[in-house]
Amino acid sequence: MSSDPWQVIIVGASGDLTRRKLIPALSRLAAKGKPQAGFSVLGVSRRAKTDEQFRAEMAEAMPDDLREGFDALAPRLFYEPADTQKPEDLQRVKARLAAMPGGAEAGKVFYLALKPSLFAPAVEQLASVALLPGHPKRRRVVIEKPFGHDLGSAQHLNEALHRILREEQLYRIDHYLGKETVQNLLGFRFHNAIFEPLWNRHHVELIQVTVAEHLGVEHGRAAYYDTTGAVRDMLQNHMLQVLALATMEPPSSLDPEEVRDQKVALLKSLRTPHAEDIAQQSVRARYAAGAVRGEDVIGYLDEEGVPDGSTTETYVALRAQIDSWRWSGVPILLRHGKRLPKKMTEVKVQFRTPPLQLFNQPAGMSQGEYQRKLRDGDLCQIRPNVLTLSIQPREAISLSFGVKAPGGDMVMTPAQLSFDYKDHFGQGGADAYERLLLDAMIGDPTLFLRADEIEASWRFADDVLGMWQTHDVPITTYPAGSWGPSEADALFEGCEGGWSIG
Ligand code: BG6
């Protein structure tokens, strides 16, 4: 019954994710008394430790503001050492769950915080001890990224999981969907009717999406990252999700399948540059030594764990298209990089200019000459109307427009209308994992990725990577702390403008 308590089983509980994200998020939920039915948590990993040791480890990692929440969670936090590949170990896990609040009948969310190669085997083993099937509605599996390495492996993994679980039991995480400002892309677009009539090729000139990070691949991440790279690590998932929410068609309801159908339709209509243009319309690069936020940092190739001769990209920028009546012909510029000057995720929607430019004519130039130069692209018209959806760390929305500067002449200058979450609500968005863990318990899959969605995203990422390979697109470098290679500026044409620096 839905009023029965839940059990959250973190499989792979010794990893960093448990300490940094999952237990803090569960502590927040415990503090708020959510979900109403209550929940308990079992950490499972191969390391031998007692409940008390596990609690002490988690308590040590807890930030001060979460102490109270953690105290509420601690009595319901347990640990069982087990190897998920050993059925006898899983029998112990099963017995442990039966003794926890809610017992064997409690709803169960298995959170697989494991190496991707263990996702399918772990599910098979959990099923073999009858922990998974039986109550499809009360047995859910949350799967962390990366979900596959390419389209083929993602399809293979989907098939393996579908042999045991129904699609509605699978909760594939993209933590960007848990971010308040990412969800607000839907709210902002489909609650405010004034933007929708403008949200198309007739009024929008260009869209750019930036996901910049100042971090590199420090803290032992390099060996993993080197097998992944910027396209697989960020573009295929987080960036395409943000883009899909910003550009998809309106769903007819907030039913999870309706929302996800629209995202899938959008992702299926997303096109990479044509093969013959790939070298001009995309950039792959890696950071060299430089300085980020005032600190000297080493280049990617010198990071510990990066093999000699690595050609992995830490930066990607490309000019894509969406083949739909709404967006045909509107350039979609996507950019992500590590070791850029700052952390910044943002969507910028640049609106078209008025058909006739009446203002800001240079002194001494005739109206006729001014119009001709603008038409021929010898002079660029100012783009006054840009809507910026700032996702993180600044959580804000701003709309720029031109206003007449005081004085005798008709000189237009830029101005802004701005909204900031913190100023307005006195706080930023809730933690992404808190929202997603709660949704997994209450059974709302809207913010999780469906099998076809993952596959559509991989098709796009694979196309980019495949073309880079077949067309020998060279990898360039950029100094750490810069905004990336200058080649990326050439993705904008003529008077289209340039990349945002936040
Ligand atoms: C992860 C990537 O999925 O997202 C990391 O693997 C990246 O490389 C991280 O740093 C960024 O997440 P956030 O929430 O800090 O923007």
Side-chain angles (χ1 to χ4, degrees), residues 6 33 41 54 120 201 220 240 267 270 274 282 300 322 327 347 372 452 499:
W6 282 87
V41 181
F54 184 54
R201 60 194 297 273
L240 293 192
L267 291 168
L270 185 63
H274 292 299
S282 71
Y300 178 73
I322 297 172
W327 294 120
V347 179
R372 188 179 48 71
D452 52 352
W499 291 109

Side-chain angles (χ1 to χ4, degrees), residues 423-478:
D423 294 346
H424 191 83
F425 294 111
Q427 62 177 50
D431 171 74
Y433 279 88
E434 174 186 340
R435 168 72 196 253
L436 294 173
L437 280 162
L438 180 62
D439 283 357
M441 281 189 261
I442 62 177
D444 183 347
T446 314
L447 301 177
F448 294 83
L449 308 186
R450 220 166 54 184
D452 52 352
E453 199 172 347
I454 289 262
E455 292 179 13
S457 308
W458 272 123
R459 245 175 229 116
F460 180 83
D462 279 6
D463 280 354
V464 174
L465 293 167
M467 281 192 281
W468 280 355
Q469 202 172 17
T470 44
H471 292 264
D472 286 330
V473 175
I475 187 157
T476 55
T477 56
Y478 57 101

Side-chain angles (χ1 to χ4, degrees), residues 21 144-145 174-176 179 211-213 215-217 221 224-225 228 233-234 237-238 336 338 343 345 392 432-433:
K21 299 284 184 190
E144 260 298 330
K145 81 176 254 280
D174 182 315
H175 78 278
Y176 267 51
K179 294 181 193 273
V211 181
E213 292 185 281
L215 293 176
V217 290
R221 261 199 108 215
Y224 158 75
Y225 188 85
T228 309
D233 187 50
M234 296 291 283
N237 38 74
H238 308 323
H336 158 67
K338 294 218 179 272
K343 188 174 173 81
T345 300
Q392 64 175 14
Y433 279 88

Side-chain angles (χ1 to χ4, degrees), residues 82-407:
D83 179 341
T84 48
Q85 289 314 291
K86 294 192 178 146
E88 63 276 20
D89 285 14
L90 290 181
Q91 288 294 358
R92 268 193 291 107
V93 169
K94 195 175 171 184
R96 196 72 204 276
L97 290 171
M100 276 167 50
E105 289 307 307
K108 295 182 184 7
V109 171
F110 292 90
Y111 196 112
L112 304 188
L114 294 168
K115 288 203 290 202
S117 59
L118 293 177
F119 291 157
V123 166
E124 279 157 22
Q125 293 302 334
L126 289 168
S128 76
V129 296
L131 271 170
L132 276 178
H135 311 268
K137 287 207 166 4
R138 304 269 296 158
R139 297 284 183 276
R140 297 177 190 140
V141 176
V142 180
I143 300 192
E144 260 298 330
K145 81 176 254 280
F147 195 94
H149 187 69
D150 54 15
L151 176 61
S153 55
Q155 284 172 327
H156 195 70
L157 181 53
N158 275 330
E159 281 160 21
L161 296 170
H162 285 153
R163 277 198 284 275
I164 292 162
L165 299 166
R166 298 186 193 175
E167 176 61 25
E168 62 264 31
Q169 292 178 276
L170 284 164
Y171 285 64
R172 300 174 192 79
I173 272 209
D174 182 315
H175 78 278
Y176 267 51
L177 292 180
K179 294 181 193 273
E180 200 79 63
T181 39
V182 173
Q183 292 157 34
N184 188 48
L185 290 171
L186 281 183
F188 178 77
R189 285 190 57 202
F190 304 131
H191 184 71
N192 301 300
I194 59 167
F195 295 103
E196 179 53 24
L198 306 179
W199 216 255
N200 56 53
R201 60 194 297 273
H202 303 295
H203 300 282
V204 173
E205 180 181 45
L206 181 140
I207 295 179
Q208 53 171 298
V209 179
T210 295
V211 181
E213 292 185 281
H214 62 276
L215 293 176
V217 290
E218 56 279 69
H219 306 309
R221 261 199 108 215
Y224 158 75
Y225 188 85
D226 200 68
T227 61
T228 309
V231 169
R232 292 187 171 99
D233 187 50
M234 296 291 283
L235 177 72
Q236 181 270 341
N237 38 74
H238 308 323
M239 289 191 77
L240 293 192
Q241 284 298 317
V242 169
L243 177 67
L245 292 173
T247 53
M248 67 187 226
E249 294 300 316
S252 56
S253 78
L254 284 184
D255 176 86
E257 299 321 315
E258 298 258 3
V259 174
R260 298 194 294 179
D261 285 349
Q262 296 303 348
K263 278 202 285 161
V264 174
L266 187 284
L267 291 168
K268 283 184 173 166
S269 63
L270 185 63
R271 301 281 174 268
T272 60
H274 292 299
E276 60 272 21
D277 300 326
I278 191 75
Q280 290 72 44
Q281 300 207 339
S282 71
V283 178
R284 59 188 289 252
R286 84 178 149 241
Y287 61 84
V292 180
R293 307 211 290 190
E295 263 185 45
D296 289 345
V297 296
I298 56 175
Y300 178 73
L301 291 181
D302 295 321
E303 300 278 8
E304 203 184 325
V306 173
D308 291 344
S310 162
T311 57
T312 299
E313 79 287 351
T314 61
Y315 176 100
V316 52
L318 56 92
R319 186 176 172 107
Q321 292 281 338
I322 297 172
D323 277 351
S324 68
W325 279 45
R326 184 189 283 269
W327 294 120
S328 179
V330 178
I332 307 290
L333 273 75
L334 303 168
R335 170 181 64 157
H336 158 67
K338 294 218 179 272
R339 286 282 189 236
L340 299 184
K342 60 178 177 186
K343 188 174 173 81
M344 175 186 93
T345 300
E346 180 188 273
V347 179
K348 255 187 193 306
V349 180
Q350 182 172 312
F351 292 94
R352 294 193 187 282
T353 51
L356 192 62
Q357 173 66 296
L358 299 176
F359 308 102
N360 298 13
Q361 190 173 320
M365 191 181 284
S366 72
Q367 171 71 0
E369 190 186 359
Y370 182 40
Q371 295 304 331
R372 188 179 48 71
K373 281 188 184 292
L374 288 173
R375 198 183 52 236
D376 295 348
D378 296 336
L379 264 185
C380 286
Q381 197 166 332
I382 292 165
R383 270 63 185 162
N385 303 131
V386 179
L387 181 71
T388 305
L389 300 155
S390 303
I391 288 170
Q392 64 175 14
R394 190 159 172 250
E395 300 176 312
I397 298 174
S398 63
L399 177 65
S400 66
F401 54 95
V403 290
K404 180 187 171 303

